[in-house]
């Protein structure tokens, strides 16, 4: 399957993520959209990695080219998981404090 | 003897230091002893040097004391030039200087001890500077003296420093001199650039190889310097104001010595001026114009010192006319005779002022001959000398200049004669109003009138003798062959080469005698008329009108300068300080600060605190970057 | 450790630095005063002694190099050569004079005041001796920051604003300088901050062009030349007089000095493109500042503007690249420092007695304080470059060089000579001559200690003015070497 399809898919996912972050006010939805963007990038990484690996194998059967990206994806997933814990905790605390998960109430930094 | 030349200026310098540093401790007797003694010692030395320079086999010498500025390609030694010209000036300066110092001991005796010593210190400093001026063997040492005499003139004009008008006069003198000094300095720089040196010997030796345009530029700048120091148009207005100083100062500085520095300088550099005919014409015209202009003003002045001051300006104009037509000896001759009779006139005026208790208005004088016989006789002799009656000294020197002018251009001659006639008129108007007729002051003043003490009258008598017989060193060819001893004496310095056509061609003796006789008769007639007209002057305090009012107000020159130069300069500097400095430059600097501040205030609004807006900006900018990247490539 | 003190440059830095730190720690005001005086006199003695070792055989005594940041290619290199000698000498002479003149003044927290002064002196010494770009930058800032604190903590009511303005101005300059230094450093063949490497830096003409302006603006602000000068009158007016003396007598020379050592020889290829602009501005500045001085009513501002005029002439003379002009400028730097300190001392004496320095409110002081008047007149006349005073020698040579470069510049700058007479005599007339008023009626003449200080200044004025030869011998070699490098490149 050509790599183009993966790129289109991940661009689509990323744009949906951005649109969600920009338009939605619910913190949890925004959070989910951020995850969507992250995963779009992950998808891209995996796709390119596979592509590179195939190209490398064609030149040298023992090549490991392109495998590093897979490692990055695992890193990103681990970090994302950590982020989810912290992020969700913040949202919970926020709900406890202001009884809302609307991010527009979070403009205290301005003052 | 020439090796000891440094002692000549050293004595007055020591005198200055002693009187200056010890002014609180010295009694008047000691202060005057130091003041007079130091100049007298210089005079004795000058006599010896003069004697040496008269020897047939004397060669000019340069005595170097030390290197003043010697760095890179510039080498300016602190050195003295000993030759006939400087020796003659040494005699005039120290000789007249000694007499005036003696005179001052009596004239200034009312001053407190401290100020008395200060006066003599200044006077000695002046003599020192003037000696440097004439002794310097390069233009820089000459400039040291040149500025030095300007400084002393400033200090002495403002000697009574409590009086603000005097301070203004002093300031004016210094500033006007400085305008001239700038010309002098630029000429020196030009010489250094062109000749690589400021030494007379090197500059003069190279002068023939330099384009005429450069020499014209240099000489015009030098002449600008001379107009400042010697009070010629356009920088003459300081001299009449300078009369604010004590009268002996006016006699020494503003009549006999300092103001003739310009003439000395041009005569000294005559090699340069000979190659610059344009400059010579300018000098002749300016000199003549000043002679006429100042004479017209002198006719209507009522302050005894102001008349003498304008007369000095006018006589200096004569000297410049002489320089301009190439009669260097004549100009120097006139410097000498003028030093005698003008110093005498000022000292006589000082004697009168002393007797009148500082009243200077001649309308309030009159009939003083009865009270002050010595002053009267000597003053009369000086008037005859300046008017040009033979055989008094002024006749010979003035005649020499006029004859040279006639050979150059008859117009110069005619105008010169007119100025000479005016001289006779205003001098005898002054004489008649002061000494003839009846006393017009108050009875109380009359009771105080007295002849001055010996210390004042002896210098008068000595100067009177010099004024009467001083002209005999320069008897023209018409009367006696080879009797012009001054010309013979100065010939090695002033006649080196290229003396100009003036000295080669001569008038027919008959013509010269006829013209001379005509002038003398005309002068005598004018003197007679002036004494008749003003001998029985009655005091009238009415406003004059028309031309005489213009003359009384000195052709409104001061007002013109005030209006054309001082006021615009003040306004301009006011504009600079209020507008350019505050608004433009500071405004620009503060503007940057304000721009940063207000920019920050505007940018602050972007920080809305809305997370969404931040992300929106982020995304938009990222997209923008992508677009730019895209177009950049294509 | 002892080896750190066996040469003059190190001593000249350490003495004031240690003296300053010790002064800081002294609690008692009088002791701080005495200690700072002692320290500055010691420095003067060292500087004076160093003059005996000007020959090339004493090279080791006048050169020192510590390893500082070897990775970056910077070493702490200090050296005394002709042009640094004359300025270090000025620096060393000035501080005892300043301390002596201010000994009767009282300053809050004297230990801090005198400590900062001494550290500033060390910084100035470093600037004049450094042969390494990072070292000079270090000392440049060291001196600047001390003076900023001095100017903002002691002085007139508006001192905070004035000091802030001064700081911003000079800091902008410093940053430009730093960026410039770093850029040149990257282009040096051996990645070094040493001056010698800077001379060999491989810069295209285009790079030299903008680097030239970065360096020049940094130095021009410091000097300051028109139109970068507006910090100066404010800073001089508002600072305490000893601080003003340091600022005007010595600190402004940093800029002039740096032109000679750090600007012109480093970017020689582009001087010909810009010299007319810079000399033109300097000459305009001379006339402009003189005209401004005519309008000032505050004595301090008057002297500040007259100083701008003098510095403008120095800048023009240096850019004329004439040998005489350089010698003249170097001697003039020394003379100007002495004269202006003398002027400040007199102004300070008047202000301390009468509490006023407005020209319009003074008058007739000559009657009450004749000795002070004589000193002032001598110093003021030296300031207007009367012959046989020190400033004449320098100005004569500078004008002569400028005339060789272009006679019109010399003629226009010459107007400054006339105007300087106008404002100086005006000031003398209004402040010293005339009649006393209620205020000046109470004026007393100066005491013995002040008389000694002023006498020292007057003696220096005449010494340099009458026999300047030793000064020329000191500076001419180094100056010619640098000039030669500029002209042959």
């Amino acid at each position: 399957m050509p790599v183009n399809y993966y790129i289109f898919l991940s661009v689509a996912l990323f744009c949906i993520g951005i649109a969600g972050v920009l338009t939605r006010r619910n913190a949890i939805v925004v959070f989910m959209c951020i995850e969507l963007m992250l995963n779009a990038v992950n998808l891209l990484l995996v796709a390119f990695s596979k592509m590179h690996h195939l190209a490398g194998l064609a030149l040298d059967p023992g090549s490991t080219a392109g495998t590093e990206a897979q490692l990055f994806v695992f890193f990103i997933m681990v970090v994302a998981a950590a982020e989810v814990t912290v992020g969700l905790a913040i949202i919970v605390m926020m709900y406890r404090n202001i009884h809302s998960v609307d991010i527009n109430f979070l403009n205290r930094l301005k003052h | 003897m020439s090796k000891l030349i440094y002692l000549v200026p050293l004595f007055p310098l020591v005198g200055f230091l002693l009187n200056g540093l010890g002014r609180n401790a010295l009694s008047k007797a000691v202060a005057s002893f130091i003041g007079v003694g130091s100049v007298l010692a210089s005079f004795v030395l000058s006599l010896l040097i003069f004697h040496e320079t008269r020897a047939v086999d004397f060669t000019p010498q340069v005595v170097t004391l030390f290197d003043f500025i010697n760095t890179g390609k510039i080498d300016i030694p602190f050195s003295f030039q000993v030759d006939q010209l400087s020796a003659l000036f040494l005699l005039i300066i120290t000789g007249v200087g000694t007499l005036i110092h003696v005179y001052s001991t009596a004239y200034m005796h009312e001053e407190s001890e401290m100020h008395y010593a200060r006066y003599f210190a200044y006077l000695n400093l002046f003599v020192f500077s003037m000696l440097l001026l004439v002794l310097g063997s390069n233009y820089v040492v000459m400039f040291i003296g040149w500025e030095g005499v300007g400084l002393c003139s400033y200090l002495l004009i403002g000697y009574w420093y409590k009086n603000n008008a005097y301070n203004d006069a002093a300031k004016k003198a210094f500033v006007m001199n400085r305008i001239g000094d700038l010309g002098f300095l630029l000429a020196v720089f030009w010489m250094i650039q062109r000749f690589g040196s400021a030494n007379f010997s090197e500059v003069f030796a190279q002068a023939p190889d330099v384009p005429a345009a450069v020499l014209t530029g240099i000489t015009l700048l030098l002449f600008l310097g001379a107009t400042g120091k010697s009070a010629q148009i356009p920088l003459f207005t300081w001299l009449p104001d300078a009369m604010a100083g004590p009268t002996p100062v006016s006699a020494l500085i503003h009549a006999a010595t300092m103001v003739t520095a310009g003439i000395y300088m041009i005569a000294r550099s005559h090699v340069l001026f000979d190659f610059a005919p344009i400059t010579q014409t300018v000098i002749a015209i300016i000199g003549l114009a000043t002679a006429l202009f100042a004479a017209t003003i002198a006719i209507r002045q009522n302050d005894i010192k102001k008349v003498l001051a304008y007369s000095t300006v006018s006589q200096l104009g004569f000297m410049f006319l002489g320089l301009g037509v190439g009669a260097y000896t004549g100009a120097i001759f006139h410097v000498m005779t003028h030093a005698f009779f003008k110093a005498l006139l000022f000292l006589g005026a000082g004697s009168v002022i002393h007797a009148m208790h500082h009243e200077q208005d001649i309308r309030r004088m009159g009939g003083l001959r009865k009270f002050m016989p010595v002053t009267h006789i000597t003053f009369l002799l000086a008037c005859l000398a300046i008017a040009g009656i033979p055989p008094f000294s002024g006749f010979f020197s003035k005649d020499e200049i006029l004859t040279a002018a006639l050979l150059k251009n008859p117009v110069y001659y005619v105008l010169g004669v007119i100025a000479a006639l005016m001289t006779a008129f205003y001098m005898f108007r002054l004489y008649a109003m002061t000494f003839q007729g009846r006393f017009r002051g108050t009875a109380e003043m009359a009771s105080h009138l007295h002849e001055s003490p010996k210390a004042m009258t002896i210098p008068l008598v000595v100067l009177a003798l010099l004024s009467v017989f001083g002209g005999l060193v320069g008897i023209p060819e018409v009367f006696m062959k080879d009797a012009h001893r001054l010309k013979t004496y100065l010939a090695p310095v002033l006649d080196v080469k290229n003396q100009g056509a003036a000295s080669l061609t001569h008038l027919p003796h008959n013509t010269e005698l006829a013209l001379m006789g005509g002038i003398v008769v005309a002068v005598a007639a004018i003197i007679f008329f002036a004494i008749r007209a003003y001998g029985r002057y009655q005091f009238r305090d009415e406003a004059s009108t028309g031309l005489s009012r213009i003359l009384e107000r000195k052709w409104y020159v001061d007002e013109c300068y005030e209006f054309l130069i001082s006021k615009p300069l003040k306004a301009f500097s006011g504009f600079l300080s209020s507008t350019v400095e505050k608004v433009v430059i500071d405004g620009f600097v503060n503007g940057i600060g304000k721009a940063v501040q207000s920019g920050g205030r505007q940018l602050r609004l972007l920080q809305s605190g809305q997370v969404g807006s931040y992300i929106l900006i982020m995304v938009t900018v990222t997209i923008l970057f992508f677009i730019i990247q895209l177009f950049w490539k294509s | 450790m002892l080896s750190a003190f066996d040469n003059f440059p190190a001593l000249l830095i350490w003495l004031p630095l240690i003296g300053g730190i010790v002064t800081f720690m002294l609690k008692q005001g009088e002791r701080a005063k005495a200690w700072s005086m002692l320290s500055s006199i010691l420095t003067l003695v060292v500087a004076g002694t160093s003059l005996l070792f000007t020959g090339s055989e004493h090279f080791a005594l006048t050169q020192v190099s510590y390893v500082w940041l070897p990775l970056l290619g910077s070493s702490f290199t200090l050296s005394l050569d002709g042009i640094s000698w004359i300025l270090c000498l000025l620096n060393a002479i000035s501080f005892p004079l300043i301390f002596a003149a201010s000994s009767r003044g009282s300053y809050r927290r004297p230990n801090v005041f005198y400590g900062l002064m001494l550290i500033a002196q060390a910084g100035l010494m470093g600037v004049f001796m450094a042969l390494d770009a990072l070292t000079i930058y270090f000392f440049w800032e060291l001196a600047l920051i001390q003076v900023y604190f001095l100017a903002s903590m002691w002085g007139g009511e508006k001192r905070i604003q004035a000091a802030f303005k001064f700081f911003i101005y000079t800091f902008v300059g410093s940053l430009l300088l730093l960026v410039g230094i770093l850029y040149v450093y990257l282009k040096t063949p051996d990645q070094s901050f040493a001056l010698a490497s800077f001379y060999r830096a491989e810069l295209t003409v285009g790079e030299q062009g903008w680097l030239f302006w970065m360096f020049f603006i940094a130095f021009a602000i410091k000097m300051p030349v028109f139109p970068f000068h507006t910090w100066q009158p404010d800073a001089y007016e508002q600072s305490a007089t000893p601080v003003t003396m340091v600022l005007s007598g010595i600190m402004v020379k940093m800029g002039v000095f740096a032109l000679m050592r750090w600007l012109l020889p480093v970017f020689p290829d582009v001087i010909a493109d810009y010299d007319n602009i810079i000399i033109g501005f300097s000459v305009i500045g001379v006339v402009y500042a003189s005209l401004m001085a005519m309008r000032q009513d505050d004595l301090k501002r008057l002297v500040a503007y007259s100083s701008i005029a003098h510095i403008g002439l120095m800048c023009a003379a240096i850019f004329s690249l004439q040998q005489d002009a350089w010698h003249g400028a170097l001697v003039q730097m020394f003379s100007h420092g002495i004269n202006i300190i003398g002027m400040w001392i007199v102004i300070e004496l008047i202000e301390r007695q009468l509490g006023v320095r407005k020209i319009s409110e003074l008058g007739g002081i000559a009657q009450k304080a004749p000795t002070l008047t004589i000193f002032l007149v001598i110093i003021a006349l030296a300031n207007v470059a009367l012959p046989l005073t020190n400033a004449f020698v320098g100005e004569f040579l500078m004008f002569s060089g400028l005339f060789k470069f272009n006679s019109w510049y010399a003629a226009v700058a010459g107007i400054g000579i006339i105007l300087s007479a106008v404002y100086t005599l005006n000031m003398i007339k209004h402040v010293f001559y005339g009649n006393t008023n209620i205020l000046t009626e109470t004026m007393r003449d100066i005491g013995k200690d002040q008389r000694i200080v002023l006498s020292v200044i007057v003696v220096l004025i005449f010494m340099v003015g009458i026999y300047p030869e030793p000064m020329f011998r000191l500076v001419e070699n180094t100056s010619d070497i640098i000039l030669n490098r500029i002209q042959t490149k």
Side-chain angles (χ1 to χ4, degrees), chain C residues 71-145:
Chain C
L71 260 180
L72 287 175
S74 174
S75 62
F76 221 74
T77 312
L78 303 170
S79 148
L80 271 173
D81 58 7
I83 66 173
S84 43
W85 233 310
I86 196 163
L87 287 163
C88 288
L89 196 62
L90 169 68
N91 196 1
I93 292 176
S94 304
F95 271 83
L97 287 177
I98 293 170
F99 288 148
S102 63
S103 64
R104 292 222 189 151
S106 59
Y107 300 97
R108 268 183 313 117
R109 306 177 63 191
N111 56 334
V112 181
F113 183 80
Y114 288 103
L116 287 173
M117 291 280 270
L118 283 171
I119 295 174
Q121 187 188 18
L124 288 162
M125 287 282 184
V127 168
F128 295 138
M129 291 191 293
L131 283 186
D132 179 280
L134 219 53
T135 318
I136 193 179
Y137 188 77
F138 170 75
F139 282 119
W140 186 279
E141 293 301 311
L142 184 68
L144 166 68
I145 289 166

Side-chain angles (χ1 to χ4, degrees), chain B residues 576-578 580-583 585-586 590, chain C residues 156 158-159 161-163 165 169 224 229-239 241 244 248 288-310 336 340 343-344 347-348 351 356-359 362 383 423-424 427 431:
Chain B
L576 286 184
S577 73
S578 64
V580 176
E581 181 88 351
K582 289 246 165 61
V583 179
I585 297 178
D586 249 3
N590 293 341
Chain C
K158 292 186 190 155
R159 62 173 187 272
Q161 285 100 310
K165 195 172 178 185
Y169 253 106
H229 64 272
T230 53
W231 64 267
Q232 201 198 33
D234 291 344
Y236 285 10
E237 185 189 358
Q238 292 300 330
S239 304
T241 311
T244 313
S248 61
Y288 176 85
S290 306
L291 283 171
M292 293 293 297
M294 281 170 60
R295 295 293 295 192
Q296 303 306 318
D297 192 33
D298 187 304
L299 280 171
K300 277 188 153 186
R301 288 185 86 86
L302 184 140
V303 177
Y305 279 107
S306 97
S307 170
I308 294 171
H310 285 118
H336 176 257
I340 202 164
M343 291 294 279
W344 292 129
I347 292 173
E348 160 87 346
E351 197 190 354
V356 165
R357 45 167 207 266
K358 285 235 180 297
I359 293 173
L362 295 165
N383 210 30
Y423 63 73
T424 307
M427 184 269 287
V431 176

Side-chain angles (χ1 to χ4, degrees), chain C residues 242-442:
Chain C
V243 181
T244 313
M245 291 182 200
V246 176
L247 261 175
S248 61
I250 316 159
M251 272 196 99
V252 298
K253 310 299 182 309
M254 283 163 57
V256 189
F257 165 85
L259 287 184
M260 288 177 148
R261 178 158 273 167
W262 291 95
L263 177 70
L264 297 174
V266 178
F267 312 112
D269 301 332
V270 290
I271 300 172
D273 300 340
Y274 304 130
D275 55 358
N276 272 303
I277 303 177
I278 290 173
I279 295 181
F281 265 102
S282 307
V283 166
I284 292 172
V286 171
V287 178
Y288 176 85
S290 306
L291 283 171
M292 293 293 297
M294 281 170 60
R295 295 293 295 192
Q296 303 306 318
D297 192 33
D298 187 304
L299 280 171
K300 277 188 153 186
R301 288 185 86 86
L302 184 140
V303 177
Y305 279 107
S306 97
S307 170
I308 294 171
H310 285 118
I311 298 286
L313 184 60
M314 286 182 216
C315 182
I318 286 170
F319 272 88
S320 74
L321 296 186
Q322 299 288 335
Q323 195 189 16
D324 342 333
W326 274 48
H327 297 172
L330 282 163
V331 174
Q332 177 67 357
M333 273 194 242
F334 183 83
S335 309
H336 176 257
I338 298 294
N339 293 351
I340 202 164
I341 288 176
M343 291 294 279
W344 292 129
I345 291 177
V346 174
I347 292 173
E348 160 87 346
L349 289 176
I350 294 174
E351 197 190 354
R352 207 186 295 154
Q353 274 205 30
L354 304 178
V356 165
R357 45 167 207 266
K358 285 235 180 297
I359 293 173
S360 51
E361 291 175 22
L362 295 165
I365 290 181
Q367 294 169 42
K368 295 289 165 190
T371 317
L372 178 69
T373 307
I374 291 169
F375 281 122
L376 180 273
V377 169
I378 293 174
I379 295 167
L381 290 174
N383 210 30
V384 302
L386 210 77
L388 295 188
T389 62
N390 53 2
F392 174 72
V393 178
E395 290 208 353
F396 180 84
L397 286 171
M398 290 196 291
F399 268 110
S400 170
L402 199 57
F403 193 92
K404 282 180 190 164
F405 180 81
N406 184 334
S407 48
W408 290 107
Y409 287 135
V412 175
I415 296 173
I417 292 187
I418 299 171
L419 294 177
S420 72
V422 176
Y423 63 73
T424 307
L425 298 190
N426 241 340
M427 184 269 287
I428 293 178
K429 181 191 136 192
H430 286 296
V431 176
F432 293 91
Y433 294 163
N435 266 317
T436 51
N437 55 28
I438 306 167
L439 185 69
T440 51
E441 198 58 45
T442 58

